[in-house]
Coordinates of all heavy atoms in Angstrom, one line a residue:
G26 N 80.1 31.8 7.0 CA 81.4 31.3 7.5 C 81.9 30.2 6.6 O 83.1 29.9 6.7
R27 N 81.1 29.6 5.8 CA 81.5 28.5 5.0 C 81.4 28.8 3.4 O 82.2 28.3 2.7 CB 80.7 27.2 5.2 CG 80.8 26.8 6.6 CD 80.1 25.5 6.8 NE 78.7 25.5 6.6 CZ 78.1 24.8 5.6 NH1 78.8 24.1 4.7 NH2 76.8 24.9 5.4
F28 N 80.5 29.7 3.1 CA 80.2 30.1 1.7 C 80.7 31.5 1.4 O 80.5 32.3 2.3 CB 78.8 29.9 1.3 CG 78.3 28.5 1.2 CD1 79.0 27.4 1.7 CD2 77.1 28.3 0.6 CE1 78.6 26.1 1.5 CE2 76.6 27.0 0.5 CZ 77.2 25.8 1.0
T29 N 81.2 31.7 0.2 CA 81.5 33.1 -0.1 C 81.0 33.4 -1.6 O 81.4 32.6 -2.4 CB 83.1 33.3 -0.2 OG1 83.5 33.0 1.2 CG2 83.4 34.8 -0.5
I30 N 80.3 34.5 -1.7 CA 79.8 34.8 -3.0 C 80.7 36.0 -3.6 O 81.2 36.8 -2.8 CB 78.4 35.3 -2.9 CG1 77.7 35.6 -4.3 CG2 78.1 36.6 -2.0 CD1 76.2 35.8 -4.4
S31 N 80.9 35.9 -4.8 CA 81.7 37.0 -5.5 C 81.2 37.1 -7.0 O 80.4 36.3 -7.5 CB 83.2 36.5 -5.5 OG 83.4 35.3 -6.2
R32 N 81.7 38.0 -7.6 CA 81.3 38.3 -9.0 C 82.5 38.9 -9.8 O 83.4 39.5 -9.2 CB 80.2 39.2 -9.0 CG 80.4 40.7 -8.5 CD 79.2 41.6 -8.7 NE 79.6 42.9 -8.3 CZ 79.1 43.3 -7.0 NH1 78.3 42.7 -6.4 NH2 79.5 44.6 -6.7
D33 N 82.4 38.8 -11.1 CA 83.2 39.5 -12.0 C 82.4 40.2 -13.0 O 81.8 39.6 -13.9 CB 84.1 38.4 -12.7 CG 85.2 39.2 -13.7 OD1 84.9 40.3 -14.1 OD2 86.2 38.5 -13.9
S34 N 82.1 41.4 -12.7 CA 81.1 42.2 -13.4 C 81.5 42.4 -15.0 O 80.6 42.3 -15.8 CB 81.0 43.6 -12.9 OG 80.3 43.5 -11.6
D35 N 82.8 42.4 -15.2 CA 83.2 42.5 -16.6 C 82.9 41.3 -17.4 O 82.7 41.4 -18.7 CB 84.7 42.8 -16.6 CG 85.1 44.1 -16.1 OD1 84.3 45.1 -16.1 OD2 86.3 44.3 -15.7
K36 N 82.9 40.1 -16.7 CA 82.5 38.9 -17.5 C 81.1 38.4 -17.3 O 80.8 37.4 -17.7 CB 83.5 37.8 -17.0 CG 84.9 38.0 -17.3 CD 85.8 37.0 -16.9 CE 87.3 37.3 -17.3 NZ 88.2 36.2 -16.8
N37 N 80.4 39.2 -16.5 CA 79.0 38.8 -16.1 C 79.0 37.3 -15.5 O 78.2 36.5 -15.8 CB 78.0 38.8 -17.3 CG 77.5 40.3 -17.6 OD1 77.8 41.2 -16.9 ND2 76.8 40.4 -18.7
M38 N 79.9 37.2 -14.5 CA 80.0 36.0 -13.8 C 79.8 36.1 -12.3 O 80.1 37.1 -11.8 CB 81.3 35.3 -14.0 CG 81.7 34.9 -15.5 SD 80.7 33.6 -16.0 CE 81.4 32.2 -15.0
V39 N 79.1 35.1 -11.7 CA 78.9 35.1 -10.3 C 79.4 33.8 -9.7 O 79.2 32.7 -10.4 CB 77.4 35.4 -9.9 CG1 77.3 35.5 -8.4 CG2 76.9 36.6 -10.6
Y40 N 80.1 33.7 -8.7 CA 80.6 32.6 -8.1 C 80.2 32.3 -6.7 O 79.7 33.2 -6.0 CB 82.2 32.7 -8.1 CG 82.7 33.0 -9.5 CD1 83.1 34.3 -9.7 CD2 83.0 32.1 -10.4 CE1 83.6 34.7 -11.0 CE2 83.6 32.4 -11.7 CZ 83.8 33.7 -11.8 OH 84.4 34.1 -13.2
L41 N 80.2 31.1 -6.3 CA 79.9 30.6 -4.9 C 81.0 29.6 -4.5 O 81.0 28.5 -5.0 CB 78.6 30.1 -4.8 CG 78.1 29.8 -3.3 CD1 77.9 31.0 -2.6 CD2 76.8 29.0 -3.3
Q42 N 81.9 30.1 -3.7 CA 82.9 29.2 -3.1 C 82.3 28.6 -1.8 O 81.8 29.2 -1.0 CB 84.2 30.0 -2.7 CG 85.3 29.1 -2.1 CD 85.9 28.2 -3.1 OE1 86.2 28.6 -4.2 NE2 86.1 26.9 -2.7
M43 N 82.4 27.3 -1.7 CA 81.8 26.5 -0.7 C 82.8 25.7 -0.1 O 83.3 24.7 -0.6 CB 80.6 25.7 -1.3 CG 79.6 26.5 -2.0 SD 78.2 25.5 -2.6 CE 79.0 24.3 -3.6
N44 N 83.2 25.9 1.2 CA 83.9 25.1 2.0 C 84.0 25.4 3.4 O 84.0 26.7 3.7 CB 85.4 25.0 1.4 CG 86.2 26.2 1.6 OD1 87.1 26.4 2.5 ND2 86.0 27.2 0.7
P45 N 84.0 24.5 4.3 CA 83.8 23.1 4.1 C 82.4 22.7 3.9 O 81.5 23.3 4.4 CB 84.4 22.4 5.3 CG 84.0 23.4 6.4 CD 84.1 24.8 5.8
L46 N 82.1 21.7 3.0 CA 80.8 21.3 2.7 C 80.3 20.3 3.7 O 81.1 19.6 4.2 CB 80.8 20.7 1.4 CG 80.7 21.7 0.2 CD1 81.2 21.2 -1.1 CD2 79.4 22.4 0.1
K47 N 79.0 20.3 3.9 CA 78.3 19.4 4.9 C 77.3 18.6 4.1 O 76.8 19.0 3.0 CB 77.6 20.1 6.0 CG 78.6 21.0 6.9 CD 77.9 21.7 7.9 CE 78.7 22.5 8.8 NZ 77.9 23.2 9.9
P48 N 76.9 17.5 4.5 CA 75.9 16.6 3.9 C 74.6 17.4 3.7 O 73.9 17.3 2.6 CB 75.7 15.5 4.8 CG 77.0 15.3 5.5 CD 77.5 16.7 5.7
E49 N 74.2 18.2 4.6 CA 73.0 19.1 4.5 C 73.1 20.1 3.4 O 72.1 20.8 3.1 CB 72.6 19.7 5.8 CG 73.7 20.4 6.5 CD 74.5 19.7 7.5 OE1 74.8 18.5 7.3 OE2 74.7 20.1 8.7
D50 N 74.2 20.3 2.8 CA 74.3 21.2 1.7 C 74.0 20.6 0.3 O 73.9 21.3 -0.7 CB 75.8 21.6 1.6 CG 76.3 22.6 2.7 OD1 75.4 23.3 3.2 OD2 77.4 22.4 3.0
T51 N 73.7 19.3 0.4 CA 73.3 18.6 -0.9 C 72.0 19.2 -1.3 O 71.0 19.3 -0.7 CB 73.0 17.1 -0.5 OG1 74.3 16.5 -0.1 CG2 72.6 16.3 -1.7
A52 N 72.0 19.7 -2.6 CA 70.9 20.3 -3.3 C 71.3 20.7 -4.7 O 72.5 20.5 -5.1 CB 70.6 21.6 -2.6
V53 N 70.4 21.1 -5.5 CA 70.6 21.8 -6.7 C 70.7 23.3 -6.6 O 69.9 23.9 -5.9 CB 69.5 21.4 -7.8 CG1 69.8 22.3 -9.1 CG2 69.3 19.9 -8.0
Y54 N 71.8 23.8 -7.0 CA 72.1 25.2 -6.8 C 71.9 26.0 -8.1 O 72.2 25.6 -9.1 CB 73.6 25.4 -6.4 CG 73.8 25.0 -4.9 CD1 73.8 23.7 -4.6 CD2 74.0 25.9 -4.0 CE1 74.0 23.3 -3.2 CE2 74.3 25.6 -2.6 CZ 74.3 24.3 -2.2 OH 74.4 23.8 -1.0
Y55 N 71.1 27.2 -7.8 CA 70.8 28.0 -9.0 C 71.2 29.4 -8.8 O 71.3 29.9 -7.5 CB 69.3 28.1 -9.2 CG 68.6 26.8 -9.3 CD1 68.2 26.0 -8.2 CD2 68.4 26.3 -10.6 CE1 67.5 24.8 -8.4 CE2 67.7 25.1 -10.9 CZ 67.3 24.4 -9.7 OH 66.6 23.2 -9.9
C56 N 71.5 30.2 -9.7 CA 71.7 31.6 -9.6 C 70.5 32.3 -10.2 O 70.0 31.8 -11.1 CB 73.1 32.0 -10.2 SG 73.2 31.8 -12.0

């Protein structure tokens, strides 16, 4: 309900939209 994953296959890109963020989301994020 807060994060959304998406991709652009033509560009080989993956995205993660994050909102609203919470303090517990603090981390290093990897794909």
Side-chain angles (χ1 to χ4, degrees):
R27 301 188 297 116
F28 289 12
T29 303
I30 187 171
S31 62
R32 65 171 179 261
D33 184 337
S34 296
D35 291 336
K36 297 180 179 179
N37 279 353
M38 296 288 293
V39 187
Y40 306 96
L41 187 68
Q42 180 68 46
M43 308 183 296
N44 71 96
L46 284 160
K47 300 178 179 180
E49 51 263 46
D50 295 320
T51 296
V53 179
Y54 285 72
Y55 304 89
C56 64

